[in-house]
Amino acid sequence: MTPLSLLLPLYILLPLVALLFYIDPRSIVEHLASPLAMKALWLSLKTTVGATLLCVLLGTPIAFALARSSFRGRELVDTLIDLPVTVPPVVAGVSLLLVFGRRGLLGRYLELAGIEIPFTTMAVVMAQVFMASPFFVKAARAGFEAVDTTLEDVAGTLGASSWRVFWTVTVPLARPALIAGTVLAWARSLSEFGATMMFAGNLPGRTQTLTLAVMSAMEVDLDTAVAISALTLVLALGALLLAKRLAAVAPVGV
Amino acid sequence: MRHRLVRIRTRVVRISLPLIAAICLSAPAHGDTLHVFAAASLTDAFTEVGKAFEAEHPGVNVEYNFAGSQVLRTQIEQGAKADVFASADRVQGDALEAKELLQASRVFTRNSLVVVTPREDSRVKNLADLARPHRKIVIASPTVPAGRYTAQVLRKMTSSGLFGDDYQNRVQANVVSQEPNVRSVLAKVVLGEADAGFVYRTDAQPAQVRVLTIPDQLNVIAEYPIGVVAGSPSPDLAAAFTAFVEGSVGQSILRKYGFTK
């Protein structure tokens, strides 16, 4: 290990340390007790849990399909699934507006049905799902691919339906990867900012999540912004450690 | 002490300059760059002012950082490299002056608020409509000057009694987003996502939105101060820029965009 190899880790570490030491921990707690921070924390918890559930619900079938079957357009679907990782979040937000906004592709019909999505908590969740889903799908797919298919086949020859095989053989064997993917998707939802700002706006209690609260607080009181940032950092770090741990205990040979 | 530091710095510059020149050999020769931090509402006018200034000062390059005045103030407080600060209210300028981060700022132009609505299918046809139920209104965050001015205007409108009881609260109930600056308020209205928004008179382009004027007696006068940031690496050039903005060319460009002196 050369000193040069430590440059990048140090570069990532320093801002985090600076954030945590900018104000003392007691004052961090004090600032987090502010209504702005508490409302944002509660909203972030609600929306990220919802978004993560949706990522799992919508992501599992496609992750399984990508891992097991070859179908026409597989490459295309695979690329589409990855796209949110490379698209700038602000662009994602504008695009969501152009689809679900009042004059959007689908939004104009939704409005006729009395459904308006922009500026609602639902819009926050949708922005998060858009940005976070690849993290779940990639992990889940890798987990499914690592499952020994002969075990599934054996269960099948013993008379289990493919549905039953999936739930009693595949999912338990892929569980660590599935949980790791879930945790990563949750963390990405938590850190979502750009798409939310564009698509959902910024209103305390309705669409102002932790990251948006950091921006708003930054304009009045840097200490509150730093306190919320520190909290977000701790949550993200915790999620990453948990995901790593879970991925490490994968029971199937890779 | 300071003197010696300056001398060391000069020597470092003298030694490193040929080096930098060698590295930049392929790059075109460039002169001084002036970093101007300006309120989002000045975006169009200052972009043009900058071009006129560059034309008058060959080799000078004006670079802008447009954002909410409060964000700019925070960035300057945190040591961002800035030469000139132009804010959309006195609060931010005064705060920086109190910390000796800004030198003698002066009010160089004024602005006021209007309500804008989408050009087609508007649900808000007059100021009273803002308080009707089920209207979507976007305002600038109360933390930026435009948001504070919006709150002041709403208070004045309410106490005028012209718009019925509880006008301000009824309007506030329709607010769906507090945007980080006036430009994003405007964007949400142009996109048709919001039924109305409060922006500066100078942001309202008739080609993009319909404009509802707010009567003078209910409006506020936003005062824009400009000053040289303490620690600017080129204070003379920065002062030349502020003088240019206050001079006849700068003022006529500002007037063109709807600002008043």
Side-chain angles (χ1 to χ4, degrees):
Chain A
M1 195 142 141
T2 63
L4 193 65
S5 62
L6 287 175
L7 268 184
L8 186 60
L10 267 178
Y11 175 66
I12 296 171
L13 178 70
L14 273 178
L16 306 186
V17 173
L19 191 62
L20 290 177
F21 286 90
Y22 183 79
I23 42 180
D24 70 286
R26 245 175 321 172
S27 136
I28 288 187
V29 174
E30 248 166 59
H31 285 287
L32 284 181
S34 69
L36 176 98
M38 288 316 290
K39 269 190 191 171
L41 177 61
W42 176 232
L43 184 76
S44 266
L45 287 178
K46 271 199 307 195
T47 52
T48 53
V49 167
T52 310
L53 281 175
L54 280 172
C55 284
V56 173
L57 271 174
L58 303 172
T60 306
I62 190 64
F64 190 70
L66 286 169
R68 282 288 185 278
S69 36
S70 58
F71 49 90
R72 268 179 68 148
R74 189 168 173 277
E75 280 295 305
L76 185 71
V77 173
D78 194 29
T79 312
L80 269 180
I81 288 288
D82 279 346
L83 196 60
V85 178
T86 52
V87 166
V90 176
V91 175
V94 174
S95 317
L96 284 169
L97 262 186
L98 295 180
V99 176
F100 296 102
R102 270 182 176 178
R103 296 178 188 172
L105 284 177
L106 301 176
R108 64 184 79 171
Y109 304 110
L110 289 174
E111 205 197 1
L112 293 177
I115 302 168
E116 292 194 22
I117 295 171
F119 305 122
T120 62
T121 306
M122 188 62 215
V124 177
V125 175
M126 284 170 68
Q128 291 171 349
V129 170
F130 191 93
M131 298 311 299
S133 59
F135 292 87
F136 174 77
V137 175
K138 280 167 99 75
R141 180 190 171 174
F144 290 141
E145 275 172 349
V147 171
D148 187 350
T149 49
T150 53
L151 293 172
E152 293 173 351
D153 295 341
V154 168
T157 55
L158 292 174
S161 67
S162 55
W163 187 247
R164 188 153 175 228
V165 171
F166 179 75
W167 283 110
T168 56
V169 179
T170 317
V171 167
L173 287 174
R175 188 158 56 203
L178 292 175
I179 297 177
T182 308
V183 175
L184 282 179
W186 175 77
R188 181 62 189 87
S189 303
L190 187 73
S191 62
E192 206 331 276
F193 173 80
T196 312
M197 183 73 239
M198 284 310 297
F199 187 44
N202 177 39
L203 194 71
R206 199 190 300 173
T207 58
Q208 189 179 77
T209 55
L210 282 173
T211 49
L212 289 161
V214 170
M215 181 200 69
S216 293
M218 175 98 185
E219 290 160 356
V220 221
D221 161 21
L222 190 61
D223 285 359
T224 306
V226 170
I228 303 173
S229 303
L231 171 72
T232 315
L233 175 68
V234 169
L235 289 173
L237 191 66
L240 204 56
L241 289 175
L242 187 66
K244 286 223 163 199
R245 230 196 134 118
L246 291 165
V249 297
V252 282
V254 179
Chain B
M1 188 64 201
R2 196 178 234 178
H3 219 75
R4 203 197 294 166
L5 252 171
V6 171
R7 215 179 301 149
I8 292 171
R9 227 204 224 156
T10 331
R11 203 177 297 160
V12 169
V13 169
R14 219 174 279 154
I15 295 167
S16 54
L17 253 172
L19 201 76
I20 294 167
I23 295 166
C24 303
L25 212 73
S26 56
H30 49 266
D32 296 317
T33 297
L34 196 64
H35 296 273
V36 177
F37 282 33
S41 48
L42 290 166
T43 305
D44 295 334
F46 260 36
T47 304
E48 194 174 329
V49 169
K51 284 195 190 111
F53 184 76
E54 283 170 354
E56 235 177 61
H57 298 76
V60 172
N61 179 27
V62 180
E63 273 185 12
Y64 286 108
N65 178 15
F66 293 113
S69 303
Q70 182 77 49
V71 172
L72 297 173
R73 168 190 155 189
T74 309
Q75 287 173 345
I76 292 173
E77 282 172 347
Q78 293 300 311
K81 191 173 142 197
D83 298 298
V84 174
F85 177 50
S87 163
D89 72 355
R90 310 262 309 252
V91 179
Q92 314 311 330
D94 291 350
L96 285 180
E97 260 179 50
K99 292 186 178 176
E100 293 184 356
L101 288 170
L102 190 69
Q103 288 155 10
S105 65
R106 289 176 306 274
V107 172
F108 69 99
T109 203
R110 291 177 172 81
N111 207 347
S112 59
L113 292 189
V114 293
V115 172
V116 289
T117 69
R119 275 174 63 90
E120 312 100 40
D121 68 85
S122 180
R123 274 155 256 214
V124 172
K125 296 196 166 49
N126 51 53
L127 296 177
D129 282 347
L130 290 171
R132 284 180 195 275
H134 310 302
R135 298 297 189 279
K136 291 187 176 180
I137 297 170
V138 283
I139 58 174
S141 163
T143 54
V144 296
R148 268 197 299 280
Y149 293 139
T150 303
Q152 284 175 26
V153 167
L154 284 174
R155 271 199 297 278
K156 281 190 181 182
M157 289 170 81
T158 309
S159 52
S160 76
L162 293 168
F163 301 95
D165 288 343
D166 217 19
Y167 180 73
Q168 182 169 12
N169 289 334
R170 285 185 291 136
V171 173
Q172 285 291 351
N174 283 335
V175 169
V176 290
S177 184
Q178 300 171 349
E179 298 287 321
N181 60 61
V182 270
R183 289 289 156 152
S184 44
V185 173
L186 185 68
K188 298 269 153 88
V189 175
V190 171
L191 277 170
E193 294 306 333
D195 296 319
F198 282 81
V199 299
Y200 291 115
R201 187 179 63 223
T202 51
D203 290 304
Q205 308 274 350
Q208 293 185 304
V209 285
R210 284 196 318 133
V211 180
L212 306 178
T213 49
I214 299 169
D216 281 348
Q217 69 273 21
L218 303 178
N219 217 323
V220 288
I221 304 300
E223 293 185 315
Y224 287 57
I226 193 168
V228 175
V229 177
S232 155
S234 31
D236 294 341
L237 193 60
F241 182 83
T242 62
F244 187 79
V245 169
E246 290 171 294
S248 60
V249 179
Q251 288 299 313
S252 79
I253 294 172
L254 284 162
R255 259 198 310 279
K256 197 174 99 188
Y257 284 92
F259 287 95
T260 48
K261 177 71 191 182

